[in-house]
Amino acid sequence: MDFNFNTDHATTIQLIFFATIIVGLWHSELFFNPESLKSKWNHTRLNLWFIATAVMIQLPLTIILIKVMGWTARNDWGIMYHIPFTATFIGKLIIGFLMLDFFEYVYHRMMHKTKYLWHFHLVHHSDMQLDVSTTVREHPAETFIRVCTMIFVMYITGVTLPVLIIRQFIQSLFNISSHTSFSLPRNLERVLALVFVTPGVHKVHHHYKLPYTDCNYGDVLSIWDRLFGTYAALHNSEIVYGLDVTNHLQMGQFNELLAYPFELKKTAALVDQENKEIGATTLQVKLKLQE
């Protein structure tokens, strides 16, 4: 195997792999589900716009990512170099995979629990029809945050590029399959969900109401949710996609989806200002009464 070829062309290979799976599953959903081509295409067309924004942001940052990883490898820098069992490639792969998947869990939970980050992430959750195209529905601001976070994680962990490439292929497969409209057989779902993020596990995460929206943050492995008490189950027939905190009528076009998080920030700022003014007025009234 030509290591340099795989390193130099990793992004291209992953994009081809990603696109092939999405196109294959998209046509499978169309074939097996009772939905017209027009309806499915209208839904998909909106989500596909996010591919263009993701590519424009992600490709330049990937160059920085590779340079950072090159520096950590040359200087033996990162958590990886202080953990036993990483002398072999298999050891590096297992430890590196676990570390990256854990940090993905932390990142995803942070996007939900930090107010202003949530304003961007909710664009992904606002999709009221979960299918394979939902995978690419990511606000460009979140794309920037996600890749910058990945650069930081690569810096502190010291995970090598070959490990990241393998992990990215596995992650892509799980991310795409977890957003598909298909469901696994119940018994198989129950067994796999003990360790992995299955379509059924992730569908619960896309339920429109709390506490289910704030659960099942896992990326590939569901073990982090079970360890940290954020795992939840819900029967597929009870799941309703979308969010109960957004105005879906204002999110029907691509430009509206781009603007929506900023409109929420403006609204939040106005509410904060009103609360401060109300608080100041209340304080003045109390002082006058005391006089």
Side-chain angles (χ1 to χ4, degrees):
M1 179 183 294
D2 186 349
F3 174 75
N4 289 327
F5 173 83
N6 284 283
T7 299
D8 297 339
H9 297 272
T11 302
T12 303
I13 294 171
Q14 185 181 353
L15 286 173
I16 294 172
F17 176 74
F18 191 86
T20 301
I21 295 176
I22 282 185
V23 171
L25 283 174
W26 190 90
H27 283 87
S28 298
E29 288 176 333
L30 179 64
F31 182 79
F32 290 105
N33 293 335
E35 182 182 7
S36 68
L37 174 60
K38 181 180 179 180
S39 173
K40 187 167 183 63
W41 174 244
N42 286 337
H43 173 250
T44 300
R45 183 173 55 187
L46 176 59
N47 289 338
L48 287 181
W49 281 101
F50 289 99
I51 292 179
T53 59
V55 169
M56 288 189 294
I57 294 169
Q58 190 156 332
L59 288 182
L61 288 176
T62 299
I63 297 173
I64 299 174
L65 172 67
I66 293 173
K67 288 185 178 296
V68 168
M69 296 183 72
W71 184 89
T72 58
R74 289 192 302 272
N75 294 276
D76 294 340
W77 176 272
I79 300 171
M80 177 72 75
Y81 296 95
H82 301 281
I83 296 179
F85 314 115
T86 57
T88 65
F89 178 75
I90 296 299
K92 285 186 175 69
L93 178 60
I94 294 173
I95 299 298
F97 188 95
L98 288 172
M99 281 198 297
L100 294 184
D101 203 65
F102 169 72
F103 279 111
E104 282 287 347
Y105 168 87
V106 173
Y107 162 79
H108 194 176
R109 190 166 178 176
M110 177 182 69
M111 295 302 293
H112 277 254
K113 295 301 185 180
T114 307
K115 182 173 67 172
Y116 291 121
L117 296 181
W118 167 244
H119 288 172
F120 295 115
H121 187 59
L122 65 77
V123 170
H124 177 69
H125 278 266
S126 67
D127 201 341
M128 299 179 69
Q129 179 185 343
L130 195 73
D131 70 6
V132 71
S133 74
T134 309
T135 310
V136 300
R137 186 183 176 113
E138 181 181 70
H139 194 281
E142 182 177 357
T143 302
F144 179 81
I145 295 166
R146 176 175 55 80
V147 183
C148 287
T149 302
M150 181 182 291
I151 292 171
F152 175 71
V153 168
M154 293 303 108
Y155 174 74
I156 64 173
T157 61
V159 170
T160 60
L161 188 56
V163 171
L164 177 63
I165 292 171
I166 293 172
R167 201 264 173 182
Q168 290 289 82
F169 275 98
I170 297 172
Q171 180 193 33
S172 295
L173 181 61
F174 272 81
N175 280 345
I176 295 169
S177 62
S178 66
H179 287 100
T180 185
S181 59
F182 296 127
S183 298
L184 296 174
R186 183 174 299 180
N187 290 336
L188 180 61
E189 170 79 35
R190 188 182 300 113
V191 173
L192 292 179
L194 294 173
V195 178
F196 299 107
V197 176
T198 61
V201 169
H202 196 69
K203 282 181 172 65
V204 175
H205 180 71
H206 276 270
H207 185 57
Y208 80 114
K209 271 190 176 182
L210 292 173
Y212 297 101
T213 311
D214 284 351
C215 71
N216 298 3
Y217 297 112
D219 195 34
V220 175
L221 302 174
S222 65
I223 56 175
W224 313 117
D225 286 296
R226 295 181 183 278
L227 282 173
F228 297 107
T230 54
Y231 182 85
L234 188 65
H235 194 275
N236 195 47
S237 62
E238 300 177 70
I239 297 174
V240 178
Y241 302 119
L243 286 172
D244 60 350
V245 295
T246 57
N247 187 344
H248 293 279
L249 296 176
Q250 297 178 0
M251 304 176 76
Q253 301 294 327
F254 179 66
N255 61 330
E256 293 172 338
L257 285 167
L258 291 182
Y260 196 79
F262 301 102
E263 295 299 326
L264 282 177
K265 287 186 177 182
K266 290 179 183 178
T267 302
L270 289 173
V271 169
D272 288 341
Q273 182 62 33
E274 288 175 359
N275 288 337
K276 288 178 181 178
E277 291 174 356
I278 291 171
T281 302
T282 303
L283 178 60
Q284 289 174 359
V285 170
K286 287 182 177 178
L287 290 173
K288 286 182 179 180
L289 289 174
Q290 289 175 359
E291 292 174 357

